[in-house]
Amino acid sequence: MEIKAIRGFNDILPDEIGKWQFVEKLARQIFEGFGFSEIRIPVVERTELFARGIGEATDIVEKEMYTFTDRSGNSLTLRPEATASMARAYLEHQLYTFDQVAKLYFIGPMFRYERPQKGRYRQFYQIDAEVFGVENPSVDAEVITMLMHFLKEVGLENLELQINSLGCRNCRPQYRGALKDYLEKRSFQLCEDCQRRLSTNPLRVFDCKVETCREALGEAPKVIRYLCPECQDHFKKVKKFLSMAGLQFILNPAMVRGLDYYTRTAFEVVSYQLGSQNAVTGGGRYDNLFQEIGGLDIPGIGFAIGMERLVSLIPKEKGFRPSLSLFIAALGERAYQEAYQLVHQLHLQGVRVEWDYEGRSLKSQMRRADKLKARYVLIIGENELTSGKALLRNMEDKSQEELPLDNLVTLLKKKVQD
Ligand code: HAM
């Protein structure tokens, strides 16, 4: 039986890769302009990092992690997100000794055992950016500004930036208590999972998609009303800085994010073109994460963009398979040898050139050149070898010209790469 890919794990084929490369290149360019540096983190971490970082009572940790025991008996997990790993790397390598502020970005696949559907996969890619070491609300606004600028440069329209504040260690417990009291009175409306969440983590009820749970939340207390004066002040300043940067946003008091590490600012960017999985980006501040994973008291803020969702929103004409500059069609053994040399030389010069390895008929070679959308075709046969000239055909305007065989590499490179 033919072996197929696992459900929720996608191939990204050459036809689609242009958009991915376009997005990645732009992210690097823009993020680096904002002072960010790339970091690469491992695919696998100790399970404890995510259990403590993301929170034991989150959907991700409770039921979505790819966790296994290695041959030494360690519990390891395929990373379901990058923030905790980046924080771990920052602590482990004491990046704070270089500069108090670290701006890092990461691009790579994440793994979550979710029910696959359009826009939701088990392996998915994120572009992630984090700033460690700044508590000031101006950085919250700067990170969001960078994100929105990037999304705009990608060419996306009709996006909505939603923000909220989730409070801090001091004020969140009161809110949690109030929400719990409210939901307990409606527990008969809650699904089994949410009934359990009532005691473990009532905020997670906001993430539930079950209709009766959503109804139960109708009049639920809003976190914003419970913010302590410091959190209120922080949020007020974030909004002010966002407005100063000319960004429009919507306050969404029901957006609590699915990971427990968030404090204060939380944000999402949604696209109404996306259907039910409409969040292109999620992010926020996490001022206790470093301590949760056993480190220093360091504040942080960042976001992750879901690449599959982002790429699906890009207009067709952006990014495509690089076109073939030249196809060399050779007829006969001597011409085949000449073509081999030419292709070899041109490859070393960085020219995207193809030819027919099997030396088939001219007709089939021309058909292939057409299919590969070669911009030029060079034809070499016995006649050309005798006359010392090869025929170069421009496939777009169908014009032809003869090129001398000596010095052909330089001539071709100049012609086809213009
Ligand atoms: P998240 O909201 O879990 O946040 O994921 C961020 C984005 O990743 C989502 O908005 C979505 O576009 C994409 N995404 C999530 N799960 C899937 C999936 N199963 N299939 C396809 N795309 C998906 C985080 O991961 C945080 N680490 C973000 C962050 C960084 N917060 C602070 N810094």
Side-chain angles (χ1 to χ4, degrees):
M1 202 179 64
E2 192 186 332
I3 300 173
K4 298 265 172 66
I6 310 165
R7 200 162 105 88
F9 288 69
N10 298 316
D11 298 306
I12 302 156
L13 301 176
D15 257 354
E16 310 154 53
I17 210 75
K19 287 185 179 179
W20 289 74
Q21 290 174 340
F22 160 72
V23 159
E24 286 169 11
K25 196 168 152 201
L26 195 63
R28 286 176 204 283
Q29 192 187 316
I30 290 178
F31 292 7
E32 287 178 15
F34 273 76
F36 284 70
S37 304
E38 183 170 2
I39 182 171
R40 300 204 184 181
I41 46 168
V43 169
V44 179
E45 297 269 7
R46 290 186 189 281
T47 303
E48 208 187 338
L49 174 70
F50 303 118
R52 278 167 43 189
I54 301 171
E56 295 274 7
T58 56
D59 277 2
I60 297 181
V61 173
E62 271 183 352
K63 51 190 187 198
E64 294 172 1
M65 295 210 298
Y66 279 90
T67 296
F68 61 97
T69 308
D70 75 1
R71 288 173 196 272
S72 314
N74 302 310
S75 177
L76 305 181
T77 294
L78 297 187
R79 58 173 184 233
E81 61 111 46
T83 315
S85 297
M86 286 161 79
R88 190 234 357 103
Y90 170 86
L91 288 172
E92 191 168 335
H93 303 287
Q94 300 175 354
L95 297 185
Y96 46 84
T97 55
F98 170 66
D99 185 25
Q100 181 190 330
V101 183
K103 296 178 169 181
L104 304 169
Y105 76 90
F106 171 73
I107 303 176
M110 308 296 153
F111 305 86
R112 294 184 195 172
Y113 193 80
E114 293 195 79
R115 209 152 50 79
Q117 65 177 81
K118 189 168 176 295
R120 187 165 72 194
Y121 309 103
R122 289 181 173 170
Q123 175 177 325
F124 59 97
Y125 284 75
Q126 284 187 344
I127 301 180
D128 188 299
E130 312 287 349
V131 179
F132 299 149
V134 190
E135 208 183 341
N136 196 289
S138 61
V139 83
D140 303 34
E142 187 181 276
V143 161
I144 297 175
T145 305
M146 177 173 87
L147 166 68
M148 297 313 284
H149 175 59
F150 168 70
L151 295 174
K152 184 169 149 264
E153 290 297 302
V154 168
L156 304 196
E157 285 165 3
N158 302 323
L159 296 176
E160 187 175 282
L161 168 63
Q162 302 183 350
I163 63 170
N164 194 16
S165 175
L166 301 178
C168 66
R169 265 192 192 141
N170 299 331
C171 52
R172 192 138 81 215
Q174 275 92 292
Y175 172 63
R176 201 186 129 114
L179 182 66
K180 191 170 174 217
D181 288 348
Y182 167 88
L183 287 172
E184 262 165 2
K185 296 196 192 97
R186 291 158 182 81
S187 69
F188 61 93
Q189 272 178 282
L190 300 180
C191 69
E192 226 173 272
D193 268 350
C194 285
Q195 299 215 355
R196 195 172 37 79
R197 286 173 180 139
L198 261 187
S199 52
T200 58
N201 199 346
L203 263 77
R204 294 279 72 81
V205 178
F206 279 104
D207 303 330
C208 187
K209 299 274 185 283
V210 175
E211 199 52 45
T212 52
C213 298
R214 303 195 78 85
E215 280 166 18
L217 281 168
E219 307 281 300
K222 305 282 188 280
V223 60
I224 224 92
R225 297 258 221 85
Y226 290 78
L227 298 182
C228 61
E230 291 77 16
C231 287
Q232 276 178 26
D233 184 55
H234 187 96
F235 197 41
K236 203 171 113 199
K237 287 180 174 151
V238 171
K239 288 186 283 186
K240 192 185 107 200
F241 283 120
L242 285 177
S243 299
M244 279 168 69
L247 287 184
Q248 292 191 336
F249 51 84
I250 283 184
L251 299 181
N252 179 357
M255 187 241 299
V256 294
R257 309 278 302 123
L259 303 89
D260 275 354
Y261 50 58
Y262 292 110
T263 50
R264 297 190 168 168
T265 316
F267 55 93
E268 285 189 358
V269 180
V270 301
S271 159
Y272 292 105
Q273 277 165 266
L274 274 178
S276 70
Q277 301 303 313
N278 67 356
V280 187
T281 308
R285 176 167 279 286
Y286 41 87
D287 292 344
N288 307 326
L289 170 66
F290 284 89
Q291 284 176 315
E292 294 294 340
I293 63 173
L296 307 165
D297 183 9
I298 292 168
I301 177 153
F303 61 78
I305 306 167
M307 283 188 75
E308 284 76 2
R309 296 182 196 178
L310 177 66
V311 163
S312 75
L313 288 170
I314 296 178
K316 254 210 153 42
E317 68 275 12
K318 292 248 176 182
F320 31 74
R321 193 199 281 247
S323 70
L324 186 61
S325 304
L326 176 67
F327 188 93
I328 299 184
L331 269 178
E333 187 50 32
R334 273 208 314 145
Y336 186 94
Q337 308 275 336
E338 178 73 23
Y340 177 81
Q341 274 298 343
L342 269 175
V343 169
H344 171 66
Q345 295 295 335
L346 286 165
H347 276 159
L348 298 186
Q349 299 279 326
V351 179
R352 198 170 163 100
V353 50
E354 257 316 318
W355 71 310
D356 187 42
Y357 296 98
E358 307 297 347
R360 275 175 280 246
S361 72
L362 184 61
K363 201 170 150 198
S364 84
Q365 294 192 47
M366 293 306 286
R367 216 182 295 132
R368 185 150 168 256
D370 240 358
K371 198 170 74 188
L372 296 177
K373 299 197 173 64
R375 288 191 293 116
Y376 287 90
V377 177
L378 184 82
I379 302 167
I380 328 174
E382 277 300 323
N383 292 345
E384 283 74 17
L385 290 176
T386 317
S387 68
K389 284 180 184 149
L391 196 65
L392 183 69
R393 181 180 294 176
N394 181 327
M395 299 297 276
E396 278 151 22
D397 64 13
K398 304 291 173 213
S399 62
Q400 304 203 132
E401 65 184 304
E402 286 187 328
L403 298 180
L405 284 182
D406 47 334
N407 205 22
L408 200 49
V409 172
T410 318
L411 275 176
L412 281 173
K413 184 168 155 48
K414 197 168 163 336
K415 278 253 164 246
V416 306
Q417 286 195 323
D418 269 353

